[in-house]
Amino acid sequence: VNTATGQITQKHFLLDPDSNVTRPSEFNYNWIVPVTSMKTGRIQPIYWLQEPSGFSDNFKVASGSSDWILANLKVTGYYRVNYDKENWKRLLRQLDDDHTVIPVINRAQIGRA
C-alpha cells in the first residue's frame, strides 16, 4: 500500500523471492482480493482489488498528515500487507500514543525495526 498515491498492489508471495516458479497458474497468481482497512481509527468500506494494481482514496494520506492506513483488519484475508516507510512510522507512532485503536491481532504484525 502506497499511502502517498493511494495505490494498492498484489504480487505472488514466495518465501524465497529469488526462486524460479515453474508451476503455472491459470490466474497468473493474481486474485480478487477483498481488502478491509482502517484509516486513523475509522473503518473504511471494503475495497475489491481485482487487478494486480488499483487506486483508492481510502488508501491515500495527505502529505504531512498524521493519518495512517491499516489494511487486512483483524487478519481476515489470506495475504500479507506492506506499506510505504512513512505509513509504517505513523503506525508505530499510533501504537505509542494509543495502541488500543489498532486491533490486537494487527498490533502483532507491526514490529519495531
Side-chain angles (χ1 to χ4, degrees):
V1 178
N2 183 328
T3 61
T5 64
Q7 182 180 31
I8 185 166
T9 58
Q10 63 170 302
K11 68 178 183 177
H12 184 193
F13 174 79
L14 299 167
L15 285 175
D16 177 4
D18 297 325
S19 64
N20 183 18
V21 178
T22 58
R23 186 175 181 168
S25 162
E26 66 180 287
F27 304 106
N28 199 28
Y29 295 102
N30 290 308
W31 312 102
I32 297 174
V33 182
V35 182
T36 55
S37 65
M38 175 183 282
K39 188 172 194 174
T40 316
R42 295 177 305 278
I43 295 175
Q44 302 297 301
I46 293 177
Y47 176 82
W48 289 90
L49 180 62
Q50 300 180 45
E51 301 291 333
S53 179
F55 290 88
S56 174
D57 286 339
N58 289 348
F59 304 119
K60 192 172 185 177
V61 173
S63 179
S65 172
S66 63
D67 287 350
W68 46 266
I69 303 295
L70 179 69
N72 199 11
L73 279 182
K74 299 181 182 177
V75 193
T76 54
Y78 292 102
Y79 55 90
R80 296 178 64 163
V81 180
N82 196 8
Y83 306 97
D84 57 273
K85 186 181 276 190
E86 290 306 310
N87 195 65
W88 280 116
K89 289 178 185 176
R90 291 188 297 262
L91 285 168
L92 289 172
R93 196 171 315 120
Q94 180 60 55
L95 288 176
D96 286 340
D97 293 346
D98 180 5
H99 67 277
T100 63
V101 175
I102 296 175
V104 172
I105 196 161
N106 289 108
R107 287 182 226 158
Q109 296 177 317
I110 304 169
R112 300 272 179 196

